[in-house]
Every structure is written in structure tokens, then in C-alpha cells.
Amino acid sequence: AQSVTQPDIHITVSEGASLELRCNYSYGATPYLFWYVQSPGQGLQLLLKYFSGDTLVQGIKGFEAEFKRSQSSFNLRKPSVHWSDAAEYFCAGSRDTASKLTFGTGTRLQVTL
Amino acid sequence: DTGVSQNPRHKITKRGQNVTFRCDPISEHNRLYWYRQTLGQGPEFLTYFQNEAQLEKSRLLSDRFSAERPKGSFSTLEIQRTEQGDSAMYLCASSLLGVSEQFFGPGTRLTVL
């Protein structure tokens, strides 16, 4: 069965520190992979996506993610976190352009000042 | 605002009542998805439409749930005889044919007393 796993439920970082959120996937073939962010009372906003090609993808708000086939991972990174980045982050995958998204359980990011 | 809209944003109902939610996708988006998100979890797929055709339904969608997209534009999700376990955020997303990126609405939060 297709699945996406986010091992970290909650992460706390200091403002200005670097961030890495982990995501592992289990699909028969390379899936389409996404990172979404959800702030309280807000819908899901797409940060970035990977389909093929360059394994390092750039997204909005200074985020990037690296696809590693050997590790079945698609980790999200940011070099310097801002207090406004505090939110819930979801990794998701799909088989193709038409399929449903399968989400991980999310990682809640807390930023301390 | 040309994003995905959902109404109502909040719904409180008593157990056993019927409720209906509406989703207006981004215009010209052919595909429309419904997801359900419970506290501390990622969104889970319920069903999706391509134009007016309902192409896939999750086993989560019991016979008390029904979704329609009569003219291929807006969609409604109805829950009959609500149960406390139906309390969740119901999210709608839309996408363009051939493009995997899904755009999410703000959601409808349902509370069943």
C-alpha cells in the first residue's frame, strides 16, 4: 500500500536556526511528492513539489526539499527559520497527476524567539 | 478571490441530523477532491470528481455520505444521520487536468454534539 511517513510529530527550533523536516514514502514507483503547510484556521498551502529531474527542488518562502531515491525520502529544509514559519507541515504523495494525495500525519513546528 | 471556497466554514449539529457542505473550485479546474482531516492527523481522501463524474470513492465514505458535482462546477458533500465520529475538518481541493498540484480551500469544520 502507498504510504507517506513523517517520523517527527513535533519539532522546536530557535528563530534563525536551520530546519529539516523528514518525510519517507513507500510507493511502487517514484511518486509525485509534495510539501504543504497549514497554519491555524487556514487551508493547506503548497510549498513545493517534485515530479522528476533535479532532485533538489526550490519552493516558496525559502524552503527547499531533496528527493533521495535510495532512502525513499523527501526531506524539507530551510536554512534560517522565521517565527512566522510556525505551523503544521504535511508531506504528501500521489501515483500520478490524477490520483488522490496520501498525506503523512504532519509535523508541528514551533519556533522560539 | 479566485481560490477554492467552501461554505459554511463552521457547522455545529446534533447527532442524527443531516448536513451539507459546498465547495466552489477554481474556475476551469476539471478535478475536485474531498478530504477529511481529524485532529492530529493528515487529510484523508474521501472522493474525487473529474467534471461531473465521480471517479473514485474511499472506503471511508460510508453509505451515509454522498457527494455530487452536478454541472461539473461546484460540489456538495452531504452526511446523513451524523455521528460524533463525523466531527472533523472537511477539505475540498481542485486541480487542472494533467496537473498534479491540488489547491485547497479553507475547509468546513463540523462538530457533531
Side-chain angles (χ1 to χ4, degrees):
Chain A
Q2 297 144 2
S3 66
V4 173
T5 304
Q6 294 179 249
D8 305 305
I9 295 173
H10 186 213
I11 284 183
T12 300
V13 299
S14 300
E15 189 175 39
S18 64
L19 170 70
E20 182 168 23
L21 302 182
R22 296 185 291 165
C23 172
N24 294 98
Y25 66 88
S26 175
Y27 276 77
T30 300
Y32 293 72
L33 293 166
F34 308 83
W35 275 99
Y36 283 86
V37 61
Q38 186 177 40
S39 299
Q42 304 292 316
L44 292 157
Q45 181 182 22
L46 181 68
L47 289 175
L48 47 78
K49 57 192 176 187
Y50 172 77
F51 302 149
S52 63
D54 193 348
T55 56
L56 185 64
V57 293
Q58 301 297 320
I60 62 171
K61 304 185 178 186
F63 285 94
E64 65 178 27
E66 186 171 14
F67 172 72
K68 292 186 177 179
R69 185 189 306 275
S70 61
Q71 298 177 17
S72 297
S73 69
F74 187 58
N75 294 350
L76 182 71
R77 301 195 295 244
K78 187 170 186 178
S80 177
V81 169
H82 188 263
W83 64 267
S84 61
D85 293 324
E88 187 96 26
Y89 291 79
F90 292 96
C91 182
S94 69
R95 278 198 325 262
D96 51 46
T97 59
S99 295
K100 63 191 177 191
L101 293 173
T102 298
F103 285 84
T105 50
T107 299
R108 179 165 296 280
L109 174 66
Q110 183 177 356
V111 179
T112 58
L113 301 176
Chain B
D1 183 26
T2 56
V4 178
S5 62
Q6 292 186 247
N7 288 288
R9 293 290 305 276
H10 303 273
K11 179 70 176 179
I12 300 174
T13 191
K14 293 182 179 179
R15 189 176 53 184
Q17 298 295 304
N18 299 343
V19 294
T20 300
F21 310 140
R22 176 177 170 130
C23 171
D24 287 89
I26 295 171
S27 59
E28 87 260 6
H29 276 196
N30 320 82
R31 296 205 176 104
L32 187 148
Y33 302 78
W34 286 99
Y35 294 84
R36 181 172 68 186
Q37 185 179 20
T38 53
L39 204 60
Q41 300 296 318
E44 294 176 292
F45 169 78
L46 292 178
T47 188
Y48 103 87
F49 293 84
Q50 181 166 308
N51 299 314
E52 65 275 9
Q54 189 172 19
L55 295 188
E56 187 177 348
K57 293 195 293 187
S58 163
R59 56 185 169 79
L60 292 176
L61 213 66
S62 76
D63 55 6
R64 295 185 298 106
F65 287 70
S66 63
E68 293 182 340
R69 195 183 183 198
K71 296 183 179 179
S73 56
F74 72 91
S75 175
T76 58
L77 178 68
E78 180 183 16
I79 309 174
Q80 295 182 326
R81 306 181 304 280
T82 52
E83 301 173 356
Q84 288 186 324
D86 297 331
S87 294
M89 176 77 84
Y90 290 83
L91 296 166
C92 176
S94 70
S95 70
L96 208 49
L97 191 67
V99 177
S100 66
E101 180 174 335
Q102 294 181 23
F103 294 85
F104 282 81
T108 294
R109 181 169 294 285
L110 173 65
T111 302
V112 182
L113 303 176

